[in-house]
Amino acid sequence: MERYDHKMQRLFLRHILASGAAIEADRTQANYLINVLRMSDGDQVLVFNGKDGEWLARLRVEGRRACTIELVEQVRPQTVPADIHYLFAPLKHARLDYMVQKAVEMGASALRPVMTQHTQASRVNLERMEANVIEAAEQCGIISVPDVLEPRSLKELLSGWQMADPARRLLFCDEAAETSNPLPALARLAEQGPQPYALLIGPEGGFSDEERALLRAQPFVTVIPLGPRILRADTAAVAALAVIQATLGDWGPTV
């Protein structure tokens, strides 16, 4: 398993990364590197864009407001993440920020807000979500940056599922499941071999009876519980992604 240098500053860039490239930092990044981190001409950083791996780069500082990032060499090749989409009913700002960051840390490959009958927040700031995704990736040595997808209503999502992504199985975390143990259902899926998954976590008020019935009627849905206790939505995200990664994802014994 490739490791990254915990001591070096990491920076996400929206540019193609290739040997010999020299990239002008945008104003916000230049201010952060020069004035916040107090970095100087010749200092080194690690940069990534989610596509071209991780690169060692050298700063060329030009005054207090500008710098160029010169790529030296690739230090880690691009990784392929576990193919797990994280679908969730939006929460209010601070807890949504936390949940997005933890989903990135836990290896989600895409994040999509899903509007349900009991969803607390009616609007989602996708730019803020993307900023939290990038911050989590920078801080945790992640190279593959998850996609931030447009919100969908639950009914819209389900009705278009088999046309949009027919191979992907949806894992529905149901607090009303008949058992409290998710492992048997996940073990049965593991026996079928690798496949793409999506995880659906509901709002604080839970899914309505109508939504629960609709989900359970879909042939591409597997119902899983999350233990004997009621979890807050942001806690449920970490718990569910952990157990899924351990049984179906890149924590498993075959990886």
Side-chain angles (χ1 to χ4, degrees):
M1 179 180 178
E2 295 283 347
R3 297 288 182 180
Y4 80 100
D5 188 336
H6 292 262
K7 298 178 182 179
M8 291 190 68
Q9 178 65 37
R10 299 182 77 241
L11 192 66
F12 175 81
L13 298 177
R14 299 182 188 277
H15 297 270
I16 295 173
L17 304 181
S19 181
I23 300 166
E24 183 178 350
D26 65 35
R27 184 175 300 177
T28 300
Q29 290 174 329
N31 179 68
Y32 179 67
L33 294 169
I34 300 168
N35 300 315
V36 177
L37 297 180
R38 304 290 184 183
M39 299 189 79
S40 304
D41 190 70
D43 284 352
Q44 294 181 330
V45 295
L46 296 172
V47 298
F48 65 105
N49 63 0
K51 300 175 182 178
D52 300 322
E54 183 172 67
W55 289 74
L56 178 67
R58 184 180 297 108
L59 297 184
R60 291 305 178 200
V61 176
E62 303 153 15
R64 302 294 299 174
R65 298 185 179 181
C67 68
T68 299
I69 301 168
E70 297 180 346
L71 271 60
V72 177
E73 62 176 340
Q74 188 185 70
V75 292
R76 284 197 292 169
Q78 185 61 39
T79 57
V80 178
D83 195 356
I84 302 174
H85 289 189
Y86 177 55
L87 315 178
F88 60 94
L91 303 173
K92 301 208 176 154
H93 286 314
R95 290 179 56 208
L96 178 59
D97 292 347
Y98 172 87
M99 186 170 65
V100 167
Q101 291 166 2
K102 298 311 164 189
V104 175
E105 292 176 35
M106 297 300 296
S109 57
L111 291 84
R112 185 191 293 279
V114 178
M115 302 303 181
T116 70
Q117 290 185 27
H118 297 157
T119 295
Q120 294 179 347
S122 59
R123 296 182 180 180
V124 182
N125 186 332
L126 295 182
E127 290 185 2
R128 182 177 177 133
M129 273 186 61
E130 187 175 53
N132 277 292
V133 165
I134 291 171
E135 181 180 354
E138 287 178 336
Q139 292 179 350
C140 296
I142 294 167
I143 301 177
S144 298
V145 180
D147 295 323
V148 175
L149 306 177
E150 290 287 336
R152 292 285 185 271
S153 71
L154 180 61
K155 288 184 178 180
E156 180 186 14
L157 183 77
L158 296 178
S159 65
W161 190 276
Q162 291 182 299
M163 182 175 294
D165 205 350
R168 190 175 302 278
R169 176 148 289 272
L170 177 59
L171 306 177
F172 161 42
C173 294
D174 187 1
E175 68 271 17
E178 292 77 10
T179 174
S180 63
N181 185 1
L183 295 179
L186 295 174
R188 288 192 292 271
L189 290 177
E191 291 173 356
Q192 299 174 19
Q195 61 180 304
Y197 292 100
L199 167 68
L200 176 61
I201 299 286
E204 293 290 72
F207 292 99
S208 68
D209 290 341
E210 176 188 353
E211 290 170 334
R212 186 173 288 107
L214 180 62
L215 280 159
R216 286 174 170 266
Q218 306 304 317
F220 51 85
V221 169
T222 294
V223 177
I224 63 170
L226 283 181
R229 287 167 289 279
I230 299 298
L231 303 178
R232 285 169 47 141
D234 44 353
T235 307
V238 178
L241 285 166
V243 73
I244 290 167
Q245 288 285 38
T247 53
L248 303 174
D250 55 16
W251 292 10
T254 60
V255 176

